[in-house]
Amino acid sequence: MEIRVLNYFLMVAREENITKAASLLHLSQPTLSRQLIQLEEELGVSLFHRSKHRIILTEEGMLLRRRAEEIVSLADKTKEDLRHKGALAGTIAVGSGELRSSQFLARLLSQFQKENALVTFALYSGNSDNIKERIERGLLDVGLLQEPVDITKYSFVRTPVREQWGVLLPADGALAAREAVCPQDLADMPLILPERESVRNELLNWFGPYGADLQVTATGNLLYNLAALARESGSGVLTLRLDCAYEGLRFVPLSPGLESGTVLAWKKIQTFSPATTAFLEYSKKYISGMIQDLI
């Protein structure tokens, strides 16, 4: 499979119309159709359901679309890294979750970029599992991961930021006026929990004997969407404290307190671009200096 043909395929998959895709690609329609037929013959599968005005992906086509997006992204990243060989320039792909540590990460990226103006960053937002998966596939160079997380295959530095757990509660409710809430306070109300299983287990351990009978109404990984659901349903959202506000909801810490750490992680055995290598070394020194200042 050629990268060029995969780009043709992705354009057709996106537009669902051969004529429009051919125009955007500056190809004739017969040329594009021939390229797609040859791709299907090479793979031995049908990639599209074709009709007079529209084509849609088959199941095999949807699988190829996911793989092709990864392949094209990785190819583009590789070309970018090689294009700047010999100079500290290029793009560093960084993943991060919704964390207070994200502010620390922003300072780190900004400080590095001030000293290396030709370096740019491609930021990806997701939970730790999503970010680890993309690191494994070579789509991310480094990720800011929320613990608990398995990092046995990674090099890492632990950040000095601690993440505080609490619950977003309807602001007009009695519990929202508390300074903190304990397990029994939340045992009888509908709750929305994080998507990651390891994190849910940590929270269930915090609930102790109340954990077995919780009213879990939903799980998810984007707090903005979970907050909207909480407002409509009157649920509480178990979440980390973030530096933002959600209308109609108030963050109340857990008691006893529960905290999580974060780590900046990257693959142990990996050949990085000069820019990424420099960034990782800079990050280790930057974080070490922050920790020394706190001692």
Side-chain angles (χ1 to χ4, degrees):
M1 290 182 291
E2 298 181 30
I3 299 296
R4 171 179 57 84
V5 177
L6 290 179
N7 275 310
Y8 294 169
F9 165 76
L10 289 173
M11 179 66 78
V12 174
R14 183 163 57 247
E15 297 300 328
E16 298 185 342
N17 183 284
I18 288 280
T19 303
K20 186 173 182 181
S23 175
L24 292 170
L25 291 166
H26 306 291
L27 297 172
S28 68
Q29 182 175 332
T31 297
L32 180 56
S33 296
R34 186 166 58 251
Q35 292 285 347
L36 296 177
I37 292 170
Q38 289 174 354
L39 180 60
E40 289 179 314
E41 290 174 348
E42 178 183 354
L43 297 174
V45 297
S46 295
L47 299 173
F48 299 98
H49 295 297
R50 294 169 170 85
S51 65
K52 185 174 181 180
H53 300 293
R54 184 185 179 202
I55 61 174
I56 59 175
L57 294 174
T58 62
E59 288 188 13
E60 292 81 4
M62 287 187 281
L63 174 60
L64 180 61
R65 181 177 188 171
R66 291 194 296 272
R67 296 289 189 267
E69 287 171 345
E70 295 172 6
I71 292 168
V72 169
S73 176
L74 188 55
D76 289 343
K77 186 178 184 306
T78 302
K79 285 191 290 186
E80 180 72 11
D81 289 344
L82 292 174
R83 186 166 67 90
H84 297 292
K85 188 176 181 181
L88 199 59
T91 299
I92 302 171
V94 181
S96 177
E98 292 184 320
L99 306 162
R100 295 191 80 182
S101 305
S102 298
Q103 185 60 50
F104 148 78
L105 179 63
R107 288 196 300 270
L108 171 60
L109 302 185
S110 179
Q111 290 300 316
F112 181 79
Q113 204 166 44
K114 285 178 182 177
E115 299 180 22
N116 302 278
L118 296 180
V119 174
T120 59
F121 293 99
L123 301 181
Y124 170 81
S125 299
N127 64 33
S128 294
D129 296 335
N130 303 146
I131 293 168
K132 280 180 58 182
E133 181 184 355
R134 293 179 76 85
I135 291 175
E136 287 298 319
R137 298 206 306 261
L139 301 176
L140 291 176
D141 297 307
V142 60
L144 182 64
L145 308 177
Q146 175 196 341
E147 296 179 304
V149 61
D150 182 4
I151 48 175
T152 54
K153 297 192 296 183
Y154 296 83
S155 296
F156 68 93
V157 285
R158 183 162 277 107
T159 77
V161 182
R162 299 295 295 175
E163 305 286 342
Q164 181 188 28
W165 281 97
V167 58
L168 278 177
L169 293 165
D172 56 359
L175 288 180
R178 302 270 190 93
E179 292 300 315
V181 290
C182 56
Q184 55 265 41
D185 295 328
L186 303 176
D188 295 325
M189 73 174 300
L191 295 173
I192 301 171
L193 300 186
E195 181 180 54
R196 290 181 60 210
E197 183 178 2
S198 58
V199 173
R200 288 203 307 273
N201 290 338
E202 289 266 311
L203 291 169
L204 292 176
N205 287 337
W206 178 83
F207 274 99
Y210 299 95
D213 300 316
L214 293 181
Q215 301 179 46
V216 179
T217 59
T219 62
N221 67 335
L222 290 177
L223 186 55
Y224 184 87
N225 293 336
L226 301 184
L229 178 58
R231 277 194 297 269
E232 293 298 321
S233 64
S235 302
V237 185
L238 271 295
T239 183
L240 298 173
R241 180 189 288 276
L242 299 177
D243 294 323
C244 51
Y246 295 91
E247 184 180 357
L249 300 172
R250 180 175 181 268
F251 180 89
V252 181
L254 302 182
S255 178
L258 183 63
E259 293 185 336
S260 294
T262 55
V263 295
L264 195 65
W266 58 95
K267 289 181 77 171
K268 283 182 179 177
I269 304 174
Q270 178 78 29
T271 301
F272 292 108
S273 68
T276 301
T277 299
F279 173 70
L280 295 177
E281 290 302 314
Y282 183 92
S283 299
K284 288 185 278 189
K285 293 177 182 177
Y286 183 89
I287 292 172
S288 176
M290 290 182 66
I291 293 173
Q292 288 299 320
D293 291 341
L294 293 173
I295 296 177

